Amino acid sequence: MERILNMNNEGVEYFLAGNYRAAKKSLRTALMYLKEFHEECQRLRLLRSIENQISLIKDAPHHSFGDLILQFRRVPDSLNEKSCSQQHYIYRNAIFAFLDLTQKKGISTPQVQNSSGLAAMIIFNMSLVYHYHAECYNSTKNLRNVLSLYKKSLEALKAAPWFSHKSYNTMVLLGILNNMGAIFYDLAKYKNARDCFKALQKMFKTSKTTLL
């Protein structure tokens, strides 16, 4: 699991440094590692169900997402003259994730429940990279691709709310809805933009985070 987090964090570091190509490559690699990790977990679960004997799996590697320490890092606004940054607010907080190796009893930290959670995080980071790159150069074609990525991140979030702490779940959902609304606005799809912003408004009016 460490290599998944390492590749995610490497991608965010490249993103912050403005190296978009390297950022995309690292985040794609993180997703590839995550797929392999998920397949291994599936294989072990199948083994347990078939054998149904603890003695056969007691020495098997323990695949658990465990507790994570998350850090949100804001990417600076673009200074490119063609940037859309002046037209509307873009949520730009990319996510670092680290294993909590020092957790003490009684101290609660964000906990990922399954692979859909990590997929949501990695795809969300990738969405930000593509979004930032597209809006820096006012690329309408690329914005459509960014929408697809945000939708995939939203689907992963729906499949399994990924953090036991509601605030983290809310932060990512906020970013997805806001940025999708901004893209729809840029593409002159005003009804879709309005729907996103209405859902966002609903988030601020309710204490619940299960708006999906």
Side-chain angles (χ1 to χ4, degrees), residues 17-64:
N19 191 340
Y20 307 123
R21 180 176 296 181
K24 294 172 186 177
K25 181 178 179 181
S26 295
L27 292 169
R28 288 195 195 101
T29 301
L31 286 175
M32 181 187 69
Y33 287 164
L34 179 60
K35 180 180 179 182
E36 294 174 357
F37 183 90
H38 179 69
E39 291 172 350
E40 175 66 8
C41 289
Q42 292 285 81
R43 186 188 68 79
L44 288 176
R45 279 194 290 269
L46 180 61
L47 177 63
R48 292 186 180 96
S49 64
I50 293 175
E51 301 296 344
N52 197 24
Q53 295 181 19
I54 297 178
S55 60
L56 294 177
I57 60 171
K58 64 180 181 180
D59 296 324
H62 178 58
H63 292 297
S64 172

Side-chain angles (χ1 to χ4, degrees), residues 8-9 12 39 44 57 73 89 106 120 125 147 161 171 191:
N8 173 79
N9 297 346
V12 175
E39 291 172 350
L44 288 176
I57 60 171
R73 187 84 63 80
Y89 172 78
N125 282 337
L147 265 180
M171 287 283 283
K191 183 182 182 301

Side-chain angles (χ1 to χ4, degrees), residues 99-115:
L99 285 173
D100 183 8
L101 302 177
T102 61
Q103 184 183 6
K104 297 180 180 179
K105 189 175 181 179
I107 297 179
S108 183
T109 57
Q111 190 172 62
V112 174
Q113 298 172 348
N114 58 34
S115 60

